[in-house]
Amino acid sequence: MSELARKVGEALKAKGAKLVTAESCTGGWVATALTAIAGSSDWFERGYVTYSNAAKREDLGVAEATLQRHGAVSEQTAREMAAGALKKGGGQVALAITGVAGPTGGTLAKPVGTVCFAWTDGSKMVSETKRFDGDREQVRRQSVERSLQGVLELL
């Protein structure tokens, strides 16, 4: 994961961009992976850990209607998280992650391992939903890796 984080840093630095993260199920793991890289202050702006729906609304501006209609684990919520992080965070690129890491909390529609992502640079927004296998830590690790890969793809 550190190699992937280093590549993200190099790509951001080459663009003169700073990244803002908005994390739910990963609990700040993306920010931790990125700031473990020496020199990350050149390209990492800040991270939001918005675990609760209230935090998503209050810190990132996710609409209550979005949470009610689509749920916290949805591409719609991830997109609003990313947009809010970009708007409030002062960076040029943002990523968002929200999901069900388990071992409980899953439903038939959104089983454990369902994770929604969004990435934006202000002009383009990309989102997707993945279903990861494994225990809580494995789901979270795969989510961190996918989020970092998504930044590279966006850039």
Side-chain angles (χ1 to χ4, degrees):
M1 191 176 324
S2 62
E3 179 62 20
L4 186 54
R6 188 188 57 72
K7 286 180 182 178
V8 167
E10 289 172 355
L12 288 162
K13 191 170 182 177
K15 296 258 186 199
K18 286 197 172 190
L19 178 68
V20 180
T21 60
E23 301 181 65
S24 186
C25 64
T26 50
W29 196 343
V30 175
T32 298
L34 292 170
T35 58
I37 306 300
S40 58
S41 60
D42 290 341
W43 43 266
F44 183 79
E45 177 60 34
R46 72 187 73 192
Y48 295 93
V49 177
T50 54
Y51 210 71
S52 69
N53 284 354
K56 289 174 181 66
R57 287 190 316 269
E58 295 164 14
D59 296 350
L60 301 174
V62 174
E64 178 65 31
T66 302
L67 293 165
Q68 290 297 321
R69 188 174 305 120
H70 303 286
V73 179
S74 65
E75 286 186 44
Q76 294 85 348
T77 294
R79 292 170 75 89
E80 288 187 29
M81 288 171 67
L86 191 66
K87 180 179 178 182
K88 295 183 177 202
Q92 294 73 43
V93 178
L95 69 83
I97 309 168
T98 183
V100 185
T104 62
T107 65
L108 286 176
K110 297 174 187 177
V112 169
T114 303
V115 183
C116 302
F117 301 88
W119 302 268
T120 187
D121 63 5
S123 63
K124 181 166 74 169
M125 173 80 71
V126 179
S127 62
E128 69 182 28
T129 300
K130 294 282 192 186
R131 174 68 168 64
F132 298 118
D133 292 323
D135 63 19
R136 182 176 180 81
E137 183 172 348
Q138 291 167 326
V139 168
R140 293 174 76 221
R141 176 177 295 281
Q142 291 171 86
S143 298
V144 171
E145 290 170 354
R146 178 64 196 122
S147 73
L148 294 174
Q149 188 61 45
V151 172
L152 292 175
E153 292 166 10
L154 181 72
L155 294 173

